[in-house]
């Protein structure tokens, strides 16, 4: 359970500008939104109970405030360690999303669309591409401009479980060439009917 100080840190993470920016960017179809949902669920799952005292714990191994029973809980790291990991994960996720957006903005398929934006939005996106930093505050006009520019791209989602099944198949161990063939065939099936130049594959 999280104590008082750790609970404040959890609340701070829930209000963190990095998380707010990712929530805003999640309206862009290209973004791996399930990654953000999983992060928020993991953060929310950390339970706080600042009322428990050492004296109460000595009398009863079950918390009288929240019903915490250590023996019944799934094993895992301490709450403070989980908060440290989530803070690091949030930073990595934001940088990953920014890198993905910039990479697609620099693609010839989308770069031509920048000229269709109004001068203010175009300048904001160009500054973002040059600095790698999101504007503060992240306003709706900027996010909508990103969405418009990237709208021509097609998101194809691959789940880890489906990918694993496709690569495993029947027949036991495979040679490197066989594994490459399985992967290529699986990807080809998923993108069939789309313009390959516009397809962007996201693994969730």
């Amino acid at each position: 359970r999280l104590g008082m100080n750790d609970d404040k840190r959890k609340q701070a993470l829930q209000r963190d500008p990095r998380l707010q920016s990712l929530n805003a960017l999640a309206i862009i179809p290209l973004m791996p939104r399930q990654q953000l949902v999983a992060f928020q669920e993991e953060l929310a799952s950390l339970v706080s109970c600042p009322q428990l005292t050492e004296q109460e714990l000595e009398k009863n191994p079950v918390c009288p405030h929240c019903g915490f029973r250590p023996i019944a809980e799934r094993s895992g790291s301490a709450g403070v360690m989980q908060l440290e990991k989530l803070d690091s994960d949030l930073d990595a996720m934001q940088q990953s999303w920014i890198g993905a957006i910039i990479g697609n903005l620099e693609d010839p398929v989308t770069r031509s669309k920048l000229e269709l934006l109004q001068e203010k939005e175009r300048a904001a996106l160009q500054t973002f591409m040059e600095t790698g930093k999101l504007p503060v505050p992240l306003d709706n006009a900027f996010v909508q401009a990103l969405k418009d520019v990237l709208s021509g791209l097609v998101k194809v989602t691959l789940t880890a479980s489906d990918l694993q099944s496709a690569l495993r198949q029947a027949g036991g161990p495979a040679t490197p060439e066989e594994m490459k063939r399985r992967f290529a065939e699986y990807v080809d099936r998923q993108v069939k009917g789309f313009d390959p130049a516009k397809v962007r594959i996201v693994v969730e």
Side-chain angles (χ1 to χ4, degrees), residues 144-159:
Q144 187 60 48
L146 279 176
K147 185 178 180 182
D148 291 342
V149 170
L150 299 174
S151 62
L153 302 179
V154 178
K155 176 184 176 181
V156 173
T157 301
L158 308 183
T159 65

Side-chain angles (χ1 to χ4, degrees), residues 100-153:
I101 292 173
I102 291 177
N104 283 294
L105 287 175
E106 293 175 341
D107 190 285
V109 175
T110 56
R111 182 175 281 277
S112 59
K113 287 191 175 183
L114 289 172
E115 301 303 321
L116 303 178
L117 297 175
Q118 295 184 4
E119 184 176 350
K120 181 179 179 181
E121 281 72 30
R122 184 170 65 250
L125 291 192
Q126 288 175 336
T127 298
F128 167 60
M129 293 168 65
E130 292 169 2
T131 64
K133 296 181 179 179
L134 293 167
V136 180
L138 185 60
D139 57 55
N140 291 334
F142 179 86
V143 176
Q144 187 60 48
L146 279 176
K147 185 178 180 182
D148 291 342
V149 170
L150 299 174
S151 62
L153 302 179

